[in-house]
Amino acid sequence: MKNATNRIKITTPSRLHFSLIDLNGKLGRIDGGFGLAINKPYFQIIAEPSSEIIVESHTYQERTTETVKKFQQSYPFPGIKLKIVNEIPNHSGFGSGTQLSLAIAAAVNSLYKLDLSLLELANAVGRGGTSGIGVAAFENGGFIVDGGHQYPEQKASFLPSAAVGDIAPPPILARYTFPSWPLLIVIPNCLKIYGEAELELFRTLCPQPESVAPQLCHLLLLKILPAVLEADICSFGAALNSIQNFGWKKVEIDAQGIELQQTLRFLQCNGALGAGVSSWGPAICAISHDINLLKQKTENYLSTLPNGGTCFITYANNRGVEIEKVD
């Protein structure tokens, strides 16, 4: 192993996952999906070499330590000191697990000059077993479409990454620079679906009907991708609204319950050209011709909910992770 370098700062995007495409598998592939890297929220981590594992974090102390140890099993190194100075909310639809795991692996890779590829890093920390959006968002940002996994040869179940073991991320079919539209991210303080609850939904509601994937593919190929390339915000918003009404996305929304459903409807009826739940939520992304007015209305609306919520404006991230040396 080569000598370690000095301290580095790693800043990740987060990702929005708009939909899985095929949870039926009749064509011999499952999963597939499309999503977007965004600037905020983000992880920012200060990392430096150490003879032991030292983690400073408000939320992710245990998970970070586990990830470092998992990475050590594949690529032994002495240790690392990680200070997480900014965090992505967990179990909220932003892909925090993938961004954190890859940031840790990238820190070790950089500090100890392991010269590993992103695929090798993702495999070592067990990310990408369902969706490739988070891994690709980390690498290059942008709007991303992935091609899923061969079924059952590469992946024999419909379960998410955390439950399927070591499965490589799927191939990336397309990556485009996303327009500079302001995005309103809305997070009602409501149910968070993860762990055993998430697994049970996959177990009981998959496979999905065969008709879902063709409908999603039609929207993706002839509405969403042209809208991204032509910067057509109205068409993109209309497609985003359509996605919420069928397939696995409807499963995710139905599972979340009334507060998320009402928040989604509020956005769609109060100036949003389109609004869509990211992954299981509760994060929702909305676009509008007047994002500041929509934000003001949404803040007022969230204050009426039993447990409130937050919202903020961000933009697409078209760069991916940033790694720089610090003094």
Side-chain angles (χ1 to χ4, degrees), residues 211-273:
S211 60
V212 171
Q215 189 175 355
L216 270 172
C217 289
H218 194 184
L219 274 170
L220 177 61
L221 186 61
L222 290 182
K223 192 136 187 152
I224 295 172
L225 290 180
V228 171
L229 291 171
E230 296 174 350
D232 182 347
I233 192 171
C234 292
S235 289
F236 187 87
L240 193 58
N241 284 337
S242 295
I243 291 166
Q244 312 310 302
N245 297 321
F246 68 97
W248 192 249
K249 182 53 60 182
K250 189 173 187 304
V251 168
E252 292 172 329
I253 293 171
D254 288 348
Q256 271 286 350
I258 191 67
E259 287 184 8
L260 181 130
Q261 295 162 16
Q262 289 179 341
T263 302
L264 184 62
R265 284 195 295 271
F266 170 85
L267 291 165
Q268 293 170 338
C269 295
N270 284 273
L273 297 170

Side-chain angles (χ1 to χ4, degrees), residues 51-93:
S51 60
E52 56 186 328
I53 299 171
I54 303 171
V55 177
E56 297 179 27
S57 171
H58 293 295
T59 307
Y60 292 98
Q61 180 100 20
E62 182 177 351
R63 183 162 190 170
T64 299
T65 301
E66 291 174 353
T67 301
V68 173
K69 291 179 178 178
K70 182 177 178 65
F71 193 74
Q72 278 182 322
Q73 294 173 5
S74 299
Y75 303 99
F77 60 94
I80 191 168
K81 180 179 180 181
L82 299 165
K83 181 177 181 180
I84 305 179
V85 296
N86 204 83
E87 299 181 343
I88 297 174
N90 62 354
H91 307 308
S92 298

